[in-house]
Amino acid sequence: MSDIFYRPTWAEIDLDAVAYNIKQMKQKLSSSSNIFAVVKANGYGHGAVKVARAALEAGASALAVALLEEALELRHSGINAPILVLGWVAPDYAKIAAEHDITLTFFQKEWLQELQSHMFSKKLKLHMKWDTGMGRIGIRKDEELQSLVSALKSTEKVQLTGIYTHFATADDTNSAYFHEQQKRFQQLLEVFEKLWDAPIDIHIGNSAASIRFSSEMYDYIRFGIAMYGLYPSEDVRNEKSIDLKPSFSLYSRLIHVKNLPKNESISYGATYVTNGSEWIGTLPIGYADGWIRKLQGMDVLVDGKRMPIVGRICMDQTMICLDKEYPVGTKVTLIGKSGKDEIEMDEIANYIDTINYEIPCMISERIPRVYKKNKLNLS
Ligand SMILES: *Cc1c(COP(=O)(O)O)cnc(C)c1O
């Protein structure tokens, strides 16, 4: 998305907040633990390249993404930090990863064997994934670990640089299943240590695990949602063990304001009818921007005051009910602070029955991201 935009609807990304959140996390971690800044899905919708640069400057030492495409985007923008792909990449493309010094995740013997038929000149770095209870990807049993390690030893041009697992319930106050996964990880690690003596990096924690069990995090943490200033869950938020600053705000401007008498209807289906004389404002944002129809009835902030979305949200426009007349061009806050009030990502998420992670991912690329950064230098 270019820096020039003509429609007055934009997201503001506060990179100083990203840096602040990394520093808060660093203070909790033991000094031997480093940070993977997780910037998959275009940096959870915040902009992968910009967030990656800010995170590295603020003290993260590596990056993690979900797809090879995402890793390549970072490399092509000139970022030289280590990059780990967390998802599965077809062995056919391992060569591309090796050429760009991108670390891949593996957990299948057949996958390693496939590599033999794809010759590549540079060594491919690999992290092995262990499924200790997430049930998604990774090896689960001792036998799988043994056969994977022996396949690894007979595969040329690869270098094991890490092992990791992922927790399913680290964000829950009830830690029983978290500890069960930790136990399984420990058991696999004992087996592994008998088979392998070269140094490798170990990482197990996402944001929730890293915040709640900071001292148990081995060499790296995989820091995603909390880096963006969002709490991994209500439980983690209530524990108040870390202070996070949100980094994503969403703004628009009134493009039309009118006074309607009683009994006039608004938008498709004429589902909203004015109760009396009402000031109605129109915003240039709609469901094609990820501002989905389910947000009908949600508040926005005008001049620090809450005003409801009325009538159905259209593809490109949304109507709100104003408390009085405002000039065209008045700034409207859909996510973020205005005056003394704030609409948090969590409030939007609760309103549409989902988690905060989904909201910035859902705000489409049609909405330009504008970056705010005072404390750091960003090229
Ligand atoms: C997305 C992801 C993370 C980051 O999780 P957060 O909860 O956002 O911190 C960590 N590890 C893996 C494997 C992931 O897929």
Side-chain angles (χ1 to χ4, degrees):
M1 177 64 79
S2 99
D3 288 343
I4 300 164
F5 56 93
Y6 304 104
R7 175 179 65 156
T9 295
W10 70 102
E12 190 178 280
I13 312 300
D14 183 351
L15 296 175
D16 293 328
V18 168
Y20 176 86
N21 298 327
I22 286 185
K23 291 191 168 130
Q24 295 302 109
M25 189 67 243
K26 276 218 132 178
Q27 280 175 14
K28 289 180 72 72
L29 284 174
S30 75
S31 59
S32 57
S33 293
N34 297 301
I35 296 180
F36 273 110
V38 182
V39 293
K40 62 191 180 192
N42 193 29
Y44 293 39
H46 294 59
V49 173
K50 290 286 207 306
V51 170
R53 288 225 169 92
L56 291 166
E57 267 188 72
S61 40
L63 304 167
V65 292
L67 319 179
L68 181 56
E69 289 85 334
E70 293 169 345
L72 289 168
E73 186 199 359
L74 297 170
R75 276 286 176 268
H76 291 153
S77 75
I79 291 174
N80 296 317
I83 303 174
L84 169 65
V85 177
L86 300 166
W88 182 89
V89 176
D92 314 60
Y93 309 125
K95 184 181 158 140
I96 301 173
E99 279 165 359
H100 291 87
D101 194 24
I102 291 163
T103 308
L104 297 184
T105 293
F106 80 111
F107 40 89
Q108 291 151 336
K109 195 174 83 182
E110 299 72 18
W111 188 91
L112 271 182
Q113 288 161 345
E114 268 275 320
L115 290 187
Q116 308 282 25
S117 59
H118 299 278
M119 292 312 297
F120 36 96
S121 51
K122 289 195 183 135
K123 256 197 176 178
L124 172 67
K125 290 179 186 151
L126 293 175
H127 281 207
M128 195 194 294
K129 183 77 186 278
W130 296 355
D131 178 8
T132 55
M134 175 69 184
R136 193 165 63 180
I137 51 173
I139 52 148
R140 296 179 71 98
K141 297 192 267 272
D142 292 6
E143 306 86 76
E144 286 175 282
L145 176 57
Q146 274 150 357
S147 88
L148 206 53
V149 168
S150 58
L152 195 58
K153 284 178 175 165
S154 61
T155 310
E156 285 168 50
K157 303 277 187 202
V158 300
Q159 184 190 1
L160 182 72
T161 54
I163 53 173
Y164 71 107
T165 193
H166 190 59
F167 293 109
T169 64
D171 61 348
D172 198 311
T173 305
N174 181 345
S175 306
Y177 192 66
F178 172 84
H179 290 304
E180 170 62 24
Q181 282 196 257
Q182 246 186 346
K183 199 177 86 195
R184 291 185 193 173
F185 184 77
Q186 211 50 51
Q187 286 163 351
L188 279 166
L189 193 56
E190 275 168 35
V191 176
F192 178 78
E193 279 169 344
K194 291 197 188 94
L195 303 168
W196 198 267
D197 50 17
I200 44 128
D201 288 323
I202 300 177
H203 48 103
I204 59 173
N206 55 4
S207 297
S210 311
I211 292 167
R212 302 189 62 231
F213 304 95
S214 312
S215 61
E216 299 165 48
M217 289 295 116
Y218 297 94
D219 305 307
Y220 276 90
I221 64 160
R222 301 186 305 272
F223 199 46
I225 197 73
M227 174 172 73
Y228 302 97
L230 302 173
Y231 291 86
S233 68
E234 211 51 40
D235 280 359
V236 177
R237 186 172 183 151
N238 292 337
E239 284 168 9
K240 292 193 184 347
S241 72
I242 190 167
D243 180 53
L244 300 174
K245 278 199 180 122
S247 57
F248 190 110
S249 308
L250 181 63
Y251 303 108
S252 189
R253 292 188 189 279
L254 291 171
I255 53 147
H256 188 52
V257 176
K258 60 184 172 285
N259 187 262
L260 292 182
K262 190 177 162 74
N263 284 333
E264 287 297 316
S265 73
I266 302 292
S267 195
Y268 290 118
T271 58
Y272 180 82
V273 178
T274 52
N275 278 319
S277 160
E278 286 179 15
W279 287 99
I280 299 293
T282 303
L283 301 175
I285 183 172
Y287 61 77
D289 300 298
W291 194 249
I292 61 173
R293 292 169 85 249
K294 267 194 178 166
L295 286 164
Q296 180 173 343
M298 178 70 207
D299 289 335
V300 301
L301 297 172
V302 183
D303 220 2
K305 286 174 286 186
R306 284 176 177 255
M307 319 273 165
I309 292 168
V310 292
R312 288 190 186 147
I313 291 173
C314 311
M315 188 183 284
D316 319 293
Q317 299 177 85
T318 293
M319 273 65 79
I320 60 177
C321 181
L322 300 165
D323 61 339
K324 62 181 172 80
E325 185 177 13
Y326 290 86
V328 165
T330 300
K331 187 174 171 182
V332 176
T333 303
L334 294 92
I335 301 172
K337 285 186 182 137
S338 167
K340 289 200 176 84
D341 207 346
E342 178 174 8
I343 292 178
E344 295 184 331
M345 208 67 96
D346 285 354
E347 184 180 347
I348 307 265
N350 287 338
Y351 189 81
I352 60 172
D353 244 334
T354 185
I355 54 172
N356 55 22
Y357 290 71
E358 203 174 353
I359 310 301
C361 291
M362 173 175 108
I363 304 297
S364 77
E365 283 194 23
R366 196 163 79 155
I367 296 194
R369 272 62 171 170
V370 175
Y371 293 88
K372 202 177 98 186
K373 183 169 179 287
N374 298 317
K375 300 193 184 86
L376 303 161
N377 282 318
L378 194 80
S379 57

